[in-house]
Amino acid sequence: MSRPVPRRAAVLYAMSATCAAIGVLLWARSRAGTPTLHSTSYGDFLAADAYTPSAWRVWSPAVPEDHLGLYLIAAALVLAVVARLLPGRRG
């Protein structure tokens, strides 16, 4: 019978998942660039809506968003490993 996950491990797993999700979104956003339109109706919708890509930066100009995304993914992996090792050390 497996033991329940301690509260600290659950918090670390939640932090890990959050970092990973934000990291992937930032990385994907930096890779996507300007959207390409395959449908004329969708293109017309965007033109009517005056779509412009966001110039808002999430982080310092010294660290590009794709690097920040990769850093957050790495932090998520470290947190997941720590959460995995935490219950084993107490037993």
Side-chain angles (χ1 to χ4, degrees):
M1 198 156 89
S2 76
R3 295 182 301 169
V5 177
R7 185 178 301 256
R8 284 186 204 152
V11 168
L12 287 174
Y13 280 130
M15 289 172 52
S16 173
T18 303
C19 284
I22 293 171
V24 167
L25 288 173
L26 285 175
W27 182 80
R29 176 182 168 188
S30 69
R31 296 286 181 208
T34 306
T36 56
L37 306 174
H38 299 289
S39 172
T40 57
S41 62
Y42 184 65
D44 293 339
F45 169 76
L46 288 179
D49 197 28
Y51 175 81
T52 55
S54 173
W56 179 72
R57 293 196 53 87
V58 175
W59 194 250
S60 163
V63 180
E65 287 181 1
D66 60 337
H67 287 137
L68 177 61
L70 293 175
Y71 296 155
L72 285 171
I73 293 169
L77 291 174
V78 169
L79 285 170
V81 168
V82 168
R84 177 71 178 130
L85 294 176
L86 185 68
R89 295 176 104 172
R90 295 182 66 181

